[in-house]
Amino acid sequence: GQQLNQSPQSMFIQEGEDVSMNCTSSSIFNTWLWYKQDPGEGPVLLIALYKAGELTSNGRLTAQFGITRKDSFLNISASIPSDVGIYFCAGKGVGSEKLVFGKGTKLTVNP
Amino acid sequence: SQTIHQWPATLVQPVGSPLSLECTVEGTSNPNLYWYRQAAGRGLQLLFYSVGIGQISSEVPQNLSASRPQDRQFILSSKKLLLSDSGFYLCAGGTAGNTIYFGEGSWLTVV
């Protein structure tokens, strides 16, 4: 079935650094969603993207829907300790309501 | 905005016993509904999704089943649990073309 390749798998950074992670798909998507999950909790929606080329910000977070419709990235600027967690990309293919997820990027921020 | 409720939050069940996890949605009608399983805190595996009452798509053939008896109710069941069914189960929902939100998750331990 559809799969998303999310990278990197994990990141260890210093507080204040910027972070970038991305997802690619083998097929065209019409929706990209980015989530953050804290241990033992459900994923929380960060940013939703619906149009190729769309660039959307949520505070220090910025995400873009790639113009090829097969990729998306998430940037976090000036990281802080509470940014720690697992970030997931998710997407829906054209004509499908099936929401598939990447395997996540585990972010560790050292104070 | 929509809210996803799922219960129970924690469940310890013996091997061979039945399972019923329930999910309800508030704040929207005719949502798309999803059940995911997450093992070891990484990777969300899509189990079932539904685009309407009585319409269930199964993604992974296994020891589980899903039902949607009402528009905003989605139930995950098993007749006989296996040890391998242990994990963190997440319900999600959202309207077509819109954002998808998650419940808080249900921890299932099969002993």
Side-chain angles (χ1 to χ4, degrees):
Chain A
Q2 284 177 318
Q3 288 204 351
L4 296 182
N5 294 313
Q6 183 173 350
S7 64
Q9 188 174 11
S10 60
M11 301 184 74
F12 298 83
I13 62 171
Q14 293 296 124
E15 184 177 357
E17 289 183 356
D18 296 343
V19 171
S20 184
M21 60 193 77
N22 68 82
C23 266
T24 59
S25 169
S26 57
S27 57
I28 291 174
F29 276 24
N30 62 5
T31 300
W32 284 98
L33 306 173
W34 285 91
Y35 292 87
K36 181 190 177 205
Q37 186 179 28
D38 292 325
E41 299 182 7
V44 174
L45 181 68
L46 300 173
I47 293 178
L49 303 161
Y50 301 109
K51 202 163 58 173
E54 183 179 357
L55 184 71
T56 298
S57 293
N58 178 7
R60 293 178 296 107
L61 278 62
T62 302
Q64 186 160 28
F65 192 138
I67 57 173
T68 66
R69 300 175 67 185
K70 290 185 178 181
D71 61 340
S72 177
F73 72 75
L74 175 70
N75 286 345
I76 305 173
S77 62
S79 58
I80 60 179
S82 62
D83 290 334
V84 165
I86 300 179
Y87 292 80
F88 291 99
C89 64
K92 291 185 190 178
V94 176
S96 172
E97 293 302 324
K98 184 167 72 172
L99 184 66
V100 294
F101 277 76
K103 293 190 176 180
T105 296
K106 186 175 182 180
L107 179 64
T108 302
V109 180
N110 297 313
Chain B
S1 64
Q2 51 202 20
T3 307
I4 312 296
H5 300 284
Q6 66 175 106
W7 66 93
T10 305
L11 201 57
V12 179
Q13 292 284 102
V15 169
S17 65
L19 170 73
S20 181
L21 298 179
E22 189 163 344
C23 173
T24 58
V25 181
E26 287 183 0
T28 188
S29 57
N30 195 30
N32 294 329
L33 297 172
Y34 307 81
W35 277 112
Y36 292 86
R37 177 169 59 200
Q38 187 175 36
R42 295 293 297 270
L44 281 78
Q45 180 188 33
L46 179 61
L47 302 175
F48 303 94
Y49 71 101
S50 170
V51 299
I53 295 175
Q55 300 178 61
I56 309 294
S57 295
S58 175
E59 289 299 302
V60 183
Q62 56 197 325
N63 189 40
L64 300 169
S65 62
S67 61
R68 184 169 178 175
Q70 300 182 51
D71 180 45
R72 289 177 285 179
Q73 184 185 27
F74 204 24
I75 298 171
L76 184 68
S77 304
S78 174
K79 291 183 179 177
K80 289 186 178 181
L81 284 168
L82 306 172
L83 286 174
S84 58
D85 291 325
S86 293
F88 190 43
Y89 289 82
L90 288 156
C91 178
T95 50
N98 210 326
T99 51
I100 306 295
Y101 296 94
F102 278 82
E104 287 300 313
S106 298
W107 286 100
L108 171 65
T109 303
V110 183
V111 296

